[in-house]
Amino acid sequence: QLLYGKDELRTVKVAGESAALGARIKIGDGIAGKVAETLEALLINGQVEHQGIRQPVSVLPTSAMSVPLVNRGQFLGVLNINAESGRVYTEHALRAFSL
């Protein structure tokens, strides 16, 4: 999702079974919105419990990463990466994507 205006993300590219192209998310709402607000990457394995978010993951994938996209100090958007069925992301993978 890329930043659109000052307070919204829009999904501009999807691959596989994912959120609808053009989906809108307010900064601060849901997983991507919270990542945009805090600029902190999130690892999601079964349930999200971070920075005031407590949200069960009820649909596949059960493992995902959400990382802020920042270039030269400017926030651009959020990259959401869903694991293949049977794969679980680790803190190591999250750190690698967060660099």
Side-chain angles (χ1 to χ4, degrees):
Q1 290 124 355
L2 293 180
L3 183 62
Y4 186 82
K6 293 186 179 191
D7 65 350
E8 185 177 82
L9 297 170
R10 287 202 183 165
T11 303
V12 295
K13 180 71 177 159
V14 297
E17 295 180 30
S18 186
L21 191 61
R24 297 176 177 193
I25 299 163
K26 291 284 183 192
I27 302 294
D29 289 349
I31 294 166
K34 192 56 92 170
V35 169
E37 182 178 64
T38 64
L39 299 181
E40 291 184 24
L42 283 177
L43 176 64
I44 300 124
N45 282 321
Q47 180 165 303
V48 178
E49 289 189 47
H50 181 76
Q51 298 272 340
I53 302 172
R54 183 172 169 81
Q55 176 178 330
V57 179
S58 59
V59 295
L60 291 176
T62 57
S63 186
M65 295 182 286
S66 188
V67 296
L69 300 173
V70 179
N71 182 39
R72 297 182 184 186
Q74 182 178 1
F75 173 70
L76 303 174
V78 175
L79 176 63
N80 297 304
I81 307 156
N82 299 331
E84 297 172 347
S85 180
R87 181 172 182 178
V88 176
Y89 289 129
T90 64
E91 288 289 335
H92 178 74
L94 182 65
R95 283 191 303 275
F97 274 103
S98 298
L99 296 177

